[in-house]
Amino acid sequence: MGRPDKAARAAIARRRSDAIDLRLAGVDWLTIARKLAADPTANSDGIAYPQGYGIERYRKNQDPPTDEALIHAACRDVRTALADRRAELNDDVDELRELEADRLDRLFFVAYKKAVRDQDLAAIDRTLRIMERRARLLGLDMPVRTELSGPDGGPVQIENVTADELDALIALTDPDAE
């Protein structure tokens, strides 16, 4: 089986979109599969869904797929469609990240010139803030490593910890926990 033509790819994309819509509406997998089946005898609407599940079997006048095969196809469609959407979102996020980095570069250049030329302390502070923001945006900062240790640098004993002791440990690691 070769790659589907443009019309078939569009019909498959529509089928996947319909499968997601039905699943979001709370429809069970078998009902989704039957509604989107190619063979009218398996299709719950009694029609041949374009590029529906089991299309190859239908074209060859074979029996429609089993319920299990239909469910498997519907699940696969939803997973594939969600993965495609996730990839598109990641591409959009990457583009936005690049745009923000370009904006920060322009702002940095202006602030940096003023900081160096005029030795303006406010411009120096602004330059540092832009650098910090850019580093966070691009993930340039090293992760902060936090390590807890018990007495004399040994392991923390937690076998018989009271609630007060646990609260004290949490307060040591998370100052906002209070």
Side-chain angles (χ1 to χ4, degrees):
M1 182 170 90
R3 180 176 160 92
D5 63 12
K6 189 174 183 177
R9 287 193 307 271
I12 291 168
R14 179 68 194 161
R15 180 190 72 210
R16 289 178 177 159
S17 178
D18 289 349
I20 287 177
D21 290 344
L22 290 167
R23 189 62 183 159
L24 288 174
V27 178
D28 66 280
W29 290 113
L30 183 57
T31 303
I32 293 170
R34 285 185 177 155
K35 186 161 187 65
L36 304 179
D39 192 326
T41 61
N43 188 295
S44 59
D45 294 334
I47 58 165
Y49 190 90
Q51 291 298 317
Y53 304 130
I55 187 71
E56 293 300 319
R57 296 179 68 84
Y58 179 64
R59 285 181 180 148
K60 295 176 184 175
N61 292 321
Q62 296 175 346
D63 289 337
T66 64
D67 286 350
E68 184 178 300
L70 287 170
I71 290 170
H72 178 73
C75 291
R76 186 181 61 238
D77 253 5
V78 169
R79 277 194 312 272
T80 300
L82 290 176
D84 291 347
R85 287 184 182 181
R86 208 172 304 116
E88 287 174 20
L89 287 174
N90 287 341
D91 290 345
D92 291 345
V93 168
D94 289 342
E95 286 178 30
L96 285 173
R97 190 173 288 120
E98 287 177 25
L99 178 64
E100 287 299 314
D102 289 343
R103 289 176 177 158
L104 288 170
D105 288 344
R106 288 180 178 194
L107 293 172
F108 176 79
F109 180 69
V110 172
Y112 184 78
K113 274 188 353 185
K114 184 162 181 63
V116 172
R117 184 184 58 222
D118 300 340
Q119 297 182 356
D120 181 349
L121 293 179
I124 292 171
D125 287 342
R126 182 63 42 126
T127 302
L128 290 172
R129 286 183 59 207
I130 293 169
M131 290 169 62
E132 289 170 359
R133 175 66 187 114
R134 191 172 190 285
R136 274 195 320 273
L137 176 71
L138 300 176
L140 301 176
D141 291 334
M142 294 288 292
V144 177
R145 183 177 176 158
T146 305
E147 189 172 305
L148 295 177
S149 60
D152 301 321
V156 176
Q157 300 296 320
I158 59 169
E159 290 94 25
N160 297 317
V161 178
T162 66
D164 292 334
E165 291 171 326
L166 186 56
D167 287 338
L169 278 174
I170 292 171
L172 285 174
T173 60
D174 186 6
D176 297 328
E178 295 177 25

